[in-house]
Amino acid sequence: MAACVLALRVAGGQGAPAPAASGPGLDELKKQYEAIFTDLQIQDRDSAKILKQRYLAGLAALEESLQAAGSKLSAVLVVHGEKERFEQSGTIPDSALAAELPALRKLQETWLAQTDAWPREQAQRWVAASERYLQCLAQLQKNLAARNDTNGVEAVKASKERLLNNKMTHQALELVQKTKPEPPAGGAPAVTDPTAPVGPAATIVEVGAYKFYPPGKEPPLKNLQPWRMDFPSADRRAAQFFYDVRISLVTDKSAWAGAPRITVAAKNRDIPAGSTLVLEYFSRFGTRTTNVYLEKTEPIILPKIARGQSYIVDGQGVSAGYYYHYGLIASIFDEGGKLLFQQCGPSPLNTKCTDRRPE
């Protein structure tokens, strides 16, 4: 029987190394499997940044070409304004789509298509790698059973159970199964999917003391800088298939309080009304990161955010006082207290992350 190899490395298109004639053991299969998903996670972490840079580069090139051609000032201002708007929000709502500038509209539609397709493509890669891993485990188990290696068989079964119970595997499969193939040419017309994305939110919504703005309609803020957030564990990274939270902080010294501007997006699953975005602010004494403590917890009750929609909301932040802003944890809990999404920044805060909603 041919040796089973997880030749599915995605970074640089490299495959796994050739196994010995008897085939790889369980430890080698695990290493290959983990390497595949490390590559996938790196790709996903970098993809949003790459797509944003590509879109901004396209806008800059278009602006320069319009200037060089001596085009109308109004066209140059439209492109320049779109560049400034996108740098702040990182999204393209319907209200920002260009109606009278085809070159700009083409750039926008390309970005929308790429960002919509990426989660599904990543989920497909995840499922394909998992299926191949299961196949290799089945072959290894058969070989071990033929040699009466009882302990080896049990170890393989345990690895299989861990994969089948992995949250990211389940959510990736769910996303892939939701992706419908294109209808055949000349076939019956497609039936509208009632759960399909409905487009960015169109109106400002108020819930309690907070206002939720559709991207592009939020009030301007100066000196906003993106705050790097990451998932506290590989298991919670699975939520990236369904939701997204992006945070920027005001860094002007005259108003420095770590006040965040948050973009909450429902990528491939609704965020139910009554869910809560919980922000946990951490400060530190002086410059020593060991003296980190929880400064404040800010719960923000969310409106319903339908699949494909996003809102921008401003948090209250904390007063800097005599201490230094260190970072924060952002979590979304549904009305029943179930954790839907969680990220933290900087990454050492992952030790303070929990799936229980703070009081």
Side-chain angles (χ1 to χ4, degrees), residues 293-311:
Y293 71 100
L294 178 62
E295 172 83 9
K296 175 182 177 181
T297 298
E298 180 181 7
I300 303 174
I301 299 176
L302 301 173
K304 177 180 178 180
I305 306 178
R307 186 164 70 97
Q309 288 186 338
S310 59
Y311 277 108

Side-chain angles (χ1 to χ4, degrees), residues 62-63 84 109 111 156 165 214 234 246 290 302 311 347-348 351:
L62 177 58
E63 184 177 352
E84 290 186 337
E109 290 176 345
W111 184 88
V156 172
N165 292 321
R246 299 181 187 178
T290 55
L302 301 173
Y311 277 108
S347 56
T351 59

Side-chain angles (χ1 to χ4, degrees), residues 294-339:
L294 178 62
E295 172 83 9
K296 175 182 177 181
T297 298
E298 180 181 7
I300 303 174
I301 299 176
L302 301 173
K304 177 180 178 180
I305 306 178
R307 186 164 70 97
Q309 288 186 338
S310 59
Y311 277 108
I312 292 174
V313 61
D314 291 327
Q316 297 172 356
V318 294
S319 175
Y322 295 101
Y323 309 113
Y324 295 86
H325 173 75
Y326 177 70
L328 52 83
I329 298 172
S331 310
I332 299 178
F333 296 88
D334 68 12
E335 199 167 12
K338 178 183 176 182
L339 180 65

